[in-house]
Amino acid sequence: MNLSRKFVLLALASLINFSAFSQCVTAIQGNSFIINMGFSPQSNSTGLKPYGMIYDLLSNYDVPILWCIRPTKAKDGADFSYNFSGYSGGTFVVPAQYIDPTVAGRITYWLSQGVQGTYAIAGSFTPIVYDTITSFPKVMIDNGSGNQNIITGYYTNAGIPASAYILGIPSNLSGCYDIWTNPHDDPTWASHGYLYNFVTALKGNIWSQCHEVSVMESVQNPAFPFQKLNFLTTTGLQCYSATKCGASPAHANNPTLPVTYQYPADPIMQFIGNMDGATQNGSEQWYIPNSGGQWYATTKRGVKTSNGVSPSEGTLLVYGPAYGNAANGTVMYEAGHNLNGSGTAAERVQAQRAYFNFLLYTGKQKRLSCSTTVPSPMGSTYPYSVSATVSSGTAPYTYQWSSSIGGTFTNGNTANAVYTPPFRTTDTLDNIKLKITDACGRVNLKIICATITASPLPIELLSFTAAPKENSVKTQWCTASEINNDFFTLERSVDATSFEGIAIIDGAGNSTYRREYSYMDRSPLSGLSYYRLKQTDFDGQYSYSDIVPVKFNGRGFVVFPNPANNKITILGEQNRERRIKVQILDLSGRIVLEQEIEFDENNSNKFELDVSPFARGVYTLICTSQSENFVEPLILR
């Protein structure tokens, strides 16, 4: 490093763990990962495994996922274009801001499972983001009829673990559940009447399929007949079979074709191609309202058949708020006994995608609602109060504050914390993250973008040197200015890793002119050792200088660091070597680098050499001058 650079740059570099983390989420940045939901052909791997990947990143790594849907698109139309390719099917994007090496490893894993996608290579792009998904909903799968394996099979296809849901029956439902799903049953008020309170009072959501749907729509409370389970119709549905749904008449077993796909920009309808073939199995393969009744005005017939006319037409997939009231939970029906049991492979995938889209859509509705107070801008190294207020979910709540650039949170596991941003020499964007968990285990992530303003530099270091002098090592340094500089600690090490303090030298406090310091180490270590300065402010903040190597009671070259990563520094004996030849040989003895070095006219004895192009491994370094031939193993890692 050029010693005319400011003293704090080394400390600053150590604070930045991943360069993209210094960006706030505005446009989607380069190096974000785009999950291709429109990949053809659609299979479990390409169409369903992305939901497993989303569950994994949300639940295990606290990574928010962007759900991009263009609100004006046609069926299977593109949500956005990037790099001359169109992305459709409700594209998911993993923001670059959260792709650290661990998350990148998980993306690689899911690619190995068949997920299709690509990293955005540069710049930024701005598709329309329907939702930033920050949690997976709490789901109960009904096991009262013993058919739960139908739906759990959808999770297996997607690679979502069994921990993502609970098995139970309607009487087990409470406010802790977001969604109740049922593949097949014969509901009665005694067994399923709990659903009335679930969608109205608790604002829960329901997904159901096959003949459980028409039976449920005919169920009413014997004690209070106005309480019915006709969630999506005004008078219930025609029955899958005569006498099975009270007074409701039966409809034909097979729907009239063709079918029509509607609402192509709705979140639930984000699947590619057809799904109707997957519904043509089991006891109920389509739905239609009773004569004289109709679908509620807010009920959307996502896939309608050619039976009947609006608002009473036949459907294969239908959804909307319970009882036509937007204040209630959302209900969705899909025809067919098993969406994984008939039709082509692609049709089965699309039908199951509609199910998982419903989970994500209703999960947004039930997500913990939270407001935060985070000041911006905030000054580097100064404490600030940050707070959160949760207005939904079930108390008590737990809180976990963190920052993309470091810093510390006092009482960071409470709603009201104190954040002290890290030292910064330039204004920096900070993604402050709050993870909230309620008593039911619901999780939400709040991402708040704040600006951290630069702090004044404590000192401006012009130089720091260390060199043998007779029986000692003399260290010298010079500052151009100082602000609140309390003292310097001179530190020494045998391995450039573990340092010990050997002297404390008072700083000038505040100074605007050049000041020179020196210290004589009269008990130096024999052989190669390393020195550095630790500078401490009056408030306890500190930072470090560059590390300077010294070879005491020995002649020849010094090479550091070794093992090395991208660069090595070759240090010749002060005022002795003017020109040297450097060679690097691989294990076979082949010369991979040969270069002549001439030290500059200012008596500098240090030269940096870039070794990043070479493969990692063991090499031999040879430095040759008029007076010496130096050979040393060089390890690149």
Side-chain angles (χ1 to χ4, degrees):
M1 179 185 292
N2 186 339
L3 289 177
S4 66
R5 297 293 299 276
K6 297 190 168 142
F7 185 43
V8 296
L9 291 182
L10 184 63
L12 172 63
S14 68
L15 293 171
I16 302 175
N17 297 319
F18 204 75
S19 60
F21 275 56
S22 63
Q23 301 293 326
C24 283
V25 180
T26 51
I28 298 177
Q29 305 295 324
N31 297 322
S32 295
F33 185 78
I34 306 171
I35 303 175
N36 188 351
M37 298 302 294
F39 184 82
S40 182
Q42 288 274 296
S43 64
N44 286 348
S45 296
T46 60
L48 295 179
K49 286 295 194 292
Y51 297 95
M53 176 178 173
I54 291 167
Y55 177 85
D56 181 29
L57 295 181
L58 288 172
S59 302
N60 300 320
Y61 301 95
D62 294 337
V63 175
I65 306 296
L66 306 182
W67 197 1
C68 301
I69 304 173
R70 184 164 63 90
T72 58
K73 70 178 185 176
K75 169 66 175 159
D76 298 341
D79 295 298
F80 61 86
S81 294
Y82 174 74
N83 199 25
F84 305 105
S85 295
Y87 290 87
S88 58
T91 308
F92 299 106
V93 176
V94 185
Q97 291 83 349
Y98 308 99
I99 303 179
D100 60 15
T102 300
V103 172
R106 294 309 297 169
I107 292 174
T108 299
Y109 166 77
W110 285 103
L111 289 172
S112 75
Q113 299 303 297
V115 171
Q116 298 294 313
T118 185
Y119 283 95
I121 56 177
S124 62
F125 53 105
T126 53
I128 296 174
V129 177
Y130 162 73
D131 184 31
T132 299
I133 305 170
T134 59
S135 59
F136 208 81
K138 303 282 288 185
V139 178
M140 177 183 287
I141 298 176
D142 190 283
N143 64 351
S145 66
N147 288 289
Q148 64 272 11
N149 288 344
I150 294 175
I151 295 184
T152 61
Y154 307 161
Y155 286 78
T156 300
N157 292 341
I160 300 176
S163 57
Y165 54 81
I166 297 292
L167 299 178
I169 55 177
S171 60
N172 299 142
L173 288 168
S174 68
C176 281
Y177 293 98
D178 302 328
I179 304 168
W180 178 80
T181 65
N182 191 350
H184 181 93
D185 207 348
D186 293 287
T188 65
W189 185 262
S191 64
H192 285 64
Y194 303 93
L195 298 178
Y196 182 87
N197 185 65
F198 183 62
V199 296
T200 56
L202 300 180
K203 314 303 181 187
N205 307 285
I206 293 173
W207 181 94
S208 190
Q209 69 182 84
C210 203
H211 80 241
E212 199 266 350
V213 172
S214 61
V215 177
M216 182 170 62
E217 284 262 338
S218 70
V219 170
Q220 65 181 28
N221 185 346
F224 303 98
F226 66 89
Q227 292 184 335
K228 302 178 181 179
L229 302 186
N230 55 317
F231 296 122
L232 295 185
T233 63
T234 57
T235 61
L237 290 170
Q238 294 182 32
C239 194
Y240 77 98
S241 181
T243 73
K244 298 295 185 179
C245 308
S248 296
H251 61 67
N253 188 46
N254 298 314
T256 301
L257 303 178
V259 300
T260 303
Y261 288 80
Q262 304 191 110
Y263 314 107
D266 272 16
I268 291 172
M269 300 299 293
Q270 297 312 299
F271 52 83
I272 299 297
N274 300 330
M275 50 78 68
D276 46 281
T279 66
Q280 301 309 291
N281 65 87
S283 52
E284 188 151 37
Q285 302 175 15
W286 64 294
Y287 309 113
I288 190 168
N290 279 323
S291 177
Q294 63 184 53
W295 302 104
Y296 286 113
T298 53
T299 300
K300 293 185 175 182
R301 284 77 80 191
V303 183
K304 68 176 184 177
T305 72
S306 296
N307 304 85
V309 295
S310 179
S312 304
E313 65 267 52
T315 63
L316 306 181
L317 183 156
V318 60
Y319 54 92
Y323 305 112
N325 185 346
N328 293 331
T330 300
V331 178
M332 175 173 164
Y333 304 146
E334 279 193 79
H337 179 67
N338 186 344
L339 302 178
N340 199 29
S342 67
T344 66
E347 288 173 320
R348 296 195 295 268
V349 169
Q350 305 323 309
Q352 292 169 72
R353 280 184 60 169
Y355 170 81
F356 287 114
N357 289 339
F358 176 77
L359 298 192
L360 296 180
Y361 170 70
T362 53
K364 176 185 179 182
Q365 297 174 327
K366 294 288 287 184
R367 194 174 301 150
L368 295 177
S369 178
C370 174
S371 61
T372 57
T373 301
V374 175
S376 181
M378 290 183 277
S380 167
T381 73
Y382 291 95
Y384 292 86
S385 295
V386 295
S387 63
T389 302
V390 184
S391 55
S392 65
T394 305
Y397 307 99
T398 59
Y399 304 84
Q400 183 180 342
W401 294 88
S402 61
S403 162
S404 63
I405 63 171
T408 58
F409 285 90
T410 303
N411 299 322
N413 294 322
T414 67
N416 300 294
V418 175
Y419 175 47
T420 303
F423 182 81
R424 280 292 183 261
T425 59
T426 58
D427 291 353
T428 305
L429 295 177
D430 187 1
N431 285 322
I432 295 173
K433 182 168 69 176
L434 173 61
K435 180 179 181 180
I436 312 163
T437 307
D438 76 351
C440 296
R442 289 192 186 93
V443 174
N444 194 11
L445 302 174
K446 296 287 289 187
I447 312 297
I448 307 102
C449 184
T451 299
I452 309 303
T453 59
S455 290
L457 290 171
I459 70 168
E460 186 176 354
L461 188 70
L462 296 178
S463 64
F464 172 56
T465 61
K469 185 172 183 180
E470 299 178 347
N471 294 323
S472 304
V473 169
K474 184 177 183 179
T475 60
Q476 295 176 290
W477 63 100
C478 178
T479 64
S481 62
E482 301 181 26
I483 300 175
N484 296 324
N485 179 25
D486 191 0
F487 60 90
F488 297 97
T489 304
L490 181 64
E491 297 184 341
R492 185 179 64 192
S493 172
V494 297
D495 57 7
T497 301
S498 299
F499 284 84
E500 61 173 348
I502 61 173
I504 294 178
I505 299 91
D506 288 338
N510 296 292
S511 172
T512 58
Y513 59 90
R514 179 186 178 101
R515 299 186 67 92
E516 296 184 350
Y517 299 84
S518 66
Y519 180 81
M520 192 73 75
D521 181 6
R522 301 190 183 280
S523 301
L525 301 175
S526 180
L528 182 62
S529 60
Y530 303 86
Y531 292 83
R532 73 178 181 186
L533 282 176
K534 177 182 178 182
Q535 180 274 324
T536 304
D537 290 350
F538 287 121
D539 63 2
Q541 296 289 325
Y542 59 87
S543 54
Y544 293 100
S545 73
D546 280 336
I547 297 171
V548 177
V550 175
K551 182 177 280 189
F552 183 74
N553 287 338
R555 304 181 66 85
F557 296 96
V558 174
V559 177
F560 69 97
N562 191 6
N565 189 359
N566 295 322
K567 290 183 179 181
I568 61 172
T569 297
I570 299 173
L571 190 69
E573 193 170 342
Q574 189 77 27
N575 298 321
R576 178 180 176 90
E577 308 295 351
R578 299 264 46 90
R579 184 191 299 269
I580 65 172
K581 182 170 73 171
V582 176
Q583 294 175 306
I584 297 179
L585 286 66
D586 63 17
L587 287 177
S588 69
R590 181 175 61 92
I591 297 175
V592 296
L593 180 141
E594 185 172 71
Q595 182 175 342
E596 286 200 354
I597 296 173
E598 184 171 357
F599 296 118
D600 64 33
E601 296 178 355
N602 296 321
N603 291 327
S604 170
N605 64 331
K606 185 166 62 174
F607 183 84
E608 284 189 346
L609 189 64
D610 183 11
V611 293
S612 60
F614 304 130
R616 307 297 88 179
V618 180
Y619 295 82
T620 299
L621 175 70
I622 303 175
C623 297
T624 306
S625 69
Q626 290 183 346
S627 59
E628 185 173 358
N629 189 41
F630 172 83
V631 181
E632 179 176 294
L634 174 64
I635 301 174
L636 302 184
R637 63 184 180 186

